[in-house]
Amino acid sequence: MEDRRQTVFIAGAGLVGSLLSIFLAKKGFAVQVLEKRADPRQNLRNEGRSINLALSHRGLRALEAADAQLPERILAEAVPMYGRQMHDEQGHLSFQPYSSTKACIYSVSRSQLNNCLINAAEHQGVSFLFEHSIEETDFASKTILLSHQDKSFTIEATVLIAADGVFSKVRSSLEKQGLCHSRLEKIDHGYKELDIPAEKGSLLAPQTALHIWPRGEYMMIALPNFDKSYTGTLFLPFNDEDLSFQELHDEASVMRFFHAHFPDASVLFPDLAKQYFSNPTSFLANVFTDRWAFGEWLLIGDAAHGIVPFYGQGMNAGFEDCRLLDELLTQHHDHFEVAFQTLCDNRKKDTDAIARLAMDNFIEMRDLVADDHFLLQKKIEGALSKALPEQWKTLYSEVTFSDTPYSEALARGLKNQGIMNEIMSDPSLDLKRWEEKEVWDLILKKVSGQ
Ligand SMILES: Cc1cc2nc3c(=O)[nH]c(=O)nc-3n(C[C@H](O)[C@H](O)[C@H](O)COP(=O)(O)OP(=O)(O)OC[C@H]3O[C@@H](n4cnc5c(N)ncnc54)[C@H](O)[C@@H]3O)c2cc1C
């Protein structure tokens, strides 16, 4: 049993650090969060970050486990999204529901969510030190070098949980001490956020959907905000012979690009070129770390396993880390070392799996969603999950609407893909024929026989 007067330090008051602090404070620990930014409750916008993000089952379950009132508070200003609204190059629309049971994901404001968690944590007695940046750590002496307003000082931290994001200083300093190894896998695409104001947002219907403009090698998406505005995100290669951020170097090239490839969306952005050049272009990466647990120090959330955003699971996975850690601490009588090591041992295969799924989903979103063969497959899969709900769960719903460990969802998804490949290899199958009784019976037989 740990000494509850002992302070648990958390690096980072982002989404994961703030939620984790609530779990720990509720267990009776003194919790001190060290955050390099100013108090975000004084900020109107988190520069350079997606300003809304998709919250789904895993995240909601963790929020509820931390504080039963949190989901209600957060969902009060969230927008449910029931599926993808696809926009083709001619402006034609098609809707693909996420599930046959009307399950949804929620678009939430990143800053509101973060502020709500910090408020809830303070309510539990957590103390936040803003504008305190971690510069170095020394594991041998269990010390952290902090800087605050041009001054540096060292503090002792017997228990430290690093939730300081994808570029974690704690992780890199542990790495320098030869304690772990991480791999940052940058992808060729970057992203840029572009705001659609509320008066234009009403032209983008339905509001309760994630809008996608798939264009093969690149894409744009838009998530709704509670005030009827949208946050659009353009994903484009950094360098490409045909189309890339590099090619869009002046107002004329930006306007030409949008009018040619996103004609229906280009009218939704006032000052498109101005926004384009004033908003940053950021890169995307997966981070794989071979070790998260170091005695009573731990890496968690993006600091341990940052992933590209294409499955909308980075935060949800980080929140799930917090819930699982809370359960392990309870199970192991708040013995940090054992709980940290067990979390790392149990969970790494799952975060590796969601990283792979997120990369696959990028291809699905930007390319396959506009492909007839793929759409037919999705229709058949949707019908199968209705007809055989116990036997056939779509990969998307296992990842998004269940607690199934990501690695199990991936394994089942691969197995199901094999069955679907066999079904789809029938060249006579089309949008009408698959519903004919004898064809459908054959499909059911194939699935049930596996
Ligand atoms: C474009 C984009 C879209 C996304 N969309 C989704 C989505 O729809 N759904 C989803 O689930 N996830 C999404 N994600 C992923 C999600 O943003 C992350 O998984 C999540 O923010 C991770 O939370 P975290 O607390 O681990 O890290 P962060 O949110 O990065 O927080 C880290 C905190 O640590 C602080 N910090 C950093 N360095 C130091 C230091 N040296 N000293 C002190 N403090 C420090 C930072 O200031 C920050 O407050 C998206 C990500 C991107 C980039």
Side-chain angles (χ1 to χ4, degrees), residues 11-17 34-37 49-50 52-55 110 114 132-135 146 163-170 191 193 223 233 235 283-284 300-303 307 309 311-318:
L15 299 171
V16 172
L34 309 167
E35 168 58 53
K36 75 172 176 190
R37 294 175 301 168
R49 306 297 308 268
S50 79
N52 55 19
L53 71 185
L55 172 66
R110 179 189 284 274
N114 207 161
H132 280 70
S133 177
I134 296 174
E135 303 302 334
L146 282 174
D164 52 343
V166 76
F167 302 111
S168 169
K169 264 274 163 65
V170 177
Y191 73 95
E193 287 152 359
L223 268 73
T233 310
F235 296 94
F283 74 83
L284 295 163
I300 201 165
D302 273 16
I307 54 171
Y311 226 118
Q313 284 295 311
M315 164 193 67
N316 287 289

